[in-house]
């Protein structure tokens, strides 16, 4: 009887893994071609051309010209992220440690997510939220499983991981689901 139970469990596990793989393939196959590409139509000139205006008295305040509605705002110059709700209120802001490859300023969307993977620098990461790629390097937010370590930039490997603390990564994971806008500013 124990052998039969093991076989049933193994069979059910195989079916479950196959189903998840098939659904992941289907989801990837039906993603619009432009979903991870910057949108020039929606990009505001201040976000795409120059540095978005900052409040000098409140350096962590959401920069002007960073869009409207629910979105993730990422400043490549300030290494800072803002999670903004649909009423343009900042839900959370935090500093990040970027990899070696930066995305161009513009409007993107979350295109894929992974609960746990190994980063291109060999560090185990969790709550990976990807929104574009540059020259074949995936760009996205993630948290190092062992803590808030920045991406290993000493290895010479081109990394697109924008590292957050685990607490910030948890909030990003809850907020930035597939299709949520990501606005990259200077």
């Amino acid at each position: 009887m124990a052998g039969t139970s093991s076989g049933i469990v193994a069979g059910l596990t195989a079916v479950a893994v196959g189903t998840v793989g098939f659904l992941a393939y289907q989801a990837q196959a039906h993603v619009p071609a432009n979903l991870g590409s910057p949108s020039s139509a929606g990009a505001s000139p201040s976000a795409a051309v120059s540095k978005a205006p900052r409040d000098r008295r409140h350096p962590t305040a959401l920069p002007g010209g960073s869009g409207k509605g629910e979105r993730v705002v990422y400043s490549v110059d300030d290494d800072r992220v803002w999670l903004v709700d649909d009423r343009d209120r900042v839900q959370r802001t935090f500093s990040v440690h970027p990899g070696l490859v930066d995305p161009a300023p513009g409007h993107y969307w979350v295109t894929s997510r992974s609960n746990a993977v190994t980063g291109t620098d060999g560090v185990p990461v969790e709550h990976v939220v990807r929104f574009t790629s540059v020259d074949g390097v995936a760009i996205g937010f993630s948290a190092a499983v062992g803590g808030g370590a920045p991406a290993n930039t000493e290895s010479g490997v081109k990394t697109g991981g924008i590292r957050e603390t685990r607490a910030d990564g948890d909030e990003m994971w809850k907020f930035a689901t597939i299709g949520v806008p990501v606005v990259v500013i200077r």
Side-chain angles (χ1 to χ4, degrees), residues 28-110:
Q28 183 67 26
H30 292 92
V31 172
N34 67 346
L35 190 55
S37 306
S39 166
S40 59
S44 67
S46 61
V49 178
S50 64
K51 187 168 176 133
R54 303 297 200 268
D55 183 338
R56 292 180 195 265
R57 290 177 285 165
H58 303 99
T60 61
L62 180 65
S66 65
K68 296 284 182 202
E70 180 183 48
R71 65 199 182 279
V72 175
V73 177
Y74 169 50
S75 170
V76 294
D77 286 353
D78 297 330
D79 297 329
R80 177 160 291 281
V81 169
W82 293 264
L83 305 180
V84 185
D85 71 13
D86 58 353
R87 294 184 179 171
D88 289 323
R89 294 180 302 201
V90 175
Q91 298 300 298
R92 187 179 187 100
T93 184
F94 49 90
S95 61
V96 293
H97 299 281
L100 293 175
V101 180
D102 284 332
H107 289 233
Y108 304 87
W109 292 266
V110 175

Side-chain angles (χ1 to χ4, degrees), residues 149-160:
N152 179 0
T153 56
E154 302 297 318
S155 67
V157 175
K158 289 184 176 182
T159 57

